[in-house]
Amino acid sequence: MEFLDLIPILLGSALTLAGVGISELGQSRRAARAERAMERSREEVRRAELWQISLAPATRIRDSFAMVARAATPEDPWGPEEDPWDEERFDSWWYSEEQQVSRDTALIPSIELRKDLALVAKGVTYSWALVAKVGYRANQQEAAADLGRLGFDLISSWMRDERGPEADLKNAIVDLEAQLVEVHRILTAELET
């Protein structure tokens, strides 16, 4: 048997090995795609479980911000008589309410939402300073009402299982953050003098 007679056998073997290699490569890619799909599915199931678990604390947060918005909304001139706005009473009530909001916020699985909710809660706490130092709104009552609605809208979008806040909510958060940074700068400067 001559070398030339072996060429077709070697070529056939090489083609067979190449076919096996291509088949193995295809199977490997299909297996990798299937693994990625399963991982995405597991992540989605886990996200859904965490979202479901977070509904109870989210409901409490929503109710707290609704109470802030309601307590701070100017009374309806055609409605029943309500107590007039009292900054000290509101601040005292919010001090205890903020403790629960902070605990419930820690149970929200979204890092970004936790940060945004904490920022809104801080805004309610410093609503007096936002008005007095940077003119955030006309008065503390109006500032607290707006912040209560902002917190309510943020947590409500989470509860509707939306993937992120709408652009107007995100813009309001960015604006609030800038205002709080300025308040912090002013208050720090005042303490140093």
Side-chain angles (χ1 to χ4, degrees), residues 31-44:
R33 278 194 302 267
E35 183 63 33
R36 285 192 301 271
M38 285 181 56
E39 183 64 29
R40 283 192 302 271
S41 176
R42 282 192 296 267
E43 287 173 5
E44 187 59 30

Side-chain angles (χ1 to χ4, degrees), residues 12-101:
S13 297
L15 289 174
T16 303
L17 285 174
V20 169
I22 289 171
S23 176
E24 286 297 318
L25 182 62
Q27 284 182 329
S28 173
R29 286 184 177 172
R30 283 191 295 281
R33 278 194 302 267
E35 183 63 33
R36 285 192 301 271
M38 285 181 56
E39 183 64 29
R40 283 192 302 271
S41 176
R42 282 192 296 267
E43 287 173 5
E44 187 59 30
V45 166
R46 181 69 178 144
R47 189 201 66 76
E49 288 173 351
L50 290 173
W51 176 80
Q52 188 67 36
I53 291 168
S54 72
L55 283 179
T59 300
R60 290 189 298 268
I61 294 167
R62 183 198 61 201
D63 293 347
S64 293
F65 281 124
M67 289 190 315
V68 168
R70 179 65 192 119
T73 301
E75 56 187 79
D76 179 6
W78 296 280
E81 287 281 323
E82 295 181 14
D83 293 335
W85 172 257
D86 182 346
E87 288 179 11
E88 287 183 26
R89 194 172 69 193
F90 176 79
D91 289 341
S92 174
W93 169 80
W94 177 247
Y95 179 77
S96 63
E97 192 70 19
E98 182 186 22
Q99 306 296 317
Q100 183 63 46
V101 169

Side-chain angles (χ1 to χ4, degrees), residues 100-169:
Q100 183 63 46
V101 169
S102 293
R103 285 189 296 273
D104 287 333
T105 297
L107 299 174
I108 301 296
S110 168
I111 295 169
E112 185 176 339
L113 182 61
R114 282 196 310 263
K115 178 184 168 279
D116 291 347
L117 290 171
L119 190 69
V120 174
K122 184 177 181 181
V124 174
T125 300
Y126 286 96
S127 57
W128 63 272
L130 285 167
V131 171
K133 304 299 180 185
V134 294
Y136 181 71
R137 297 292 184 267
N139 56 49
Q140 184 187 13
Q141 184 177 10
E142 188 179 316
D146 285 352
L147 292 167
R149 284 188 290 274
L150 177 59
F152 181 88
D153 290 343
L154 276 171
I155 197 65
S156 293
S157 70
W158 170 263
M159 293 174 74
R160 289 189 302 268
D161 199 20
E162 295 174 2
R163 297 300 172 138
E166 296 173 4
D168 60 332
L169 291 177

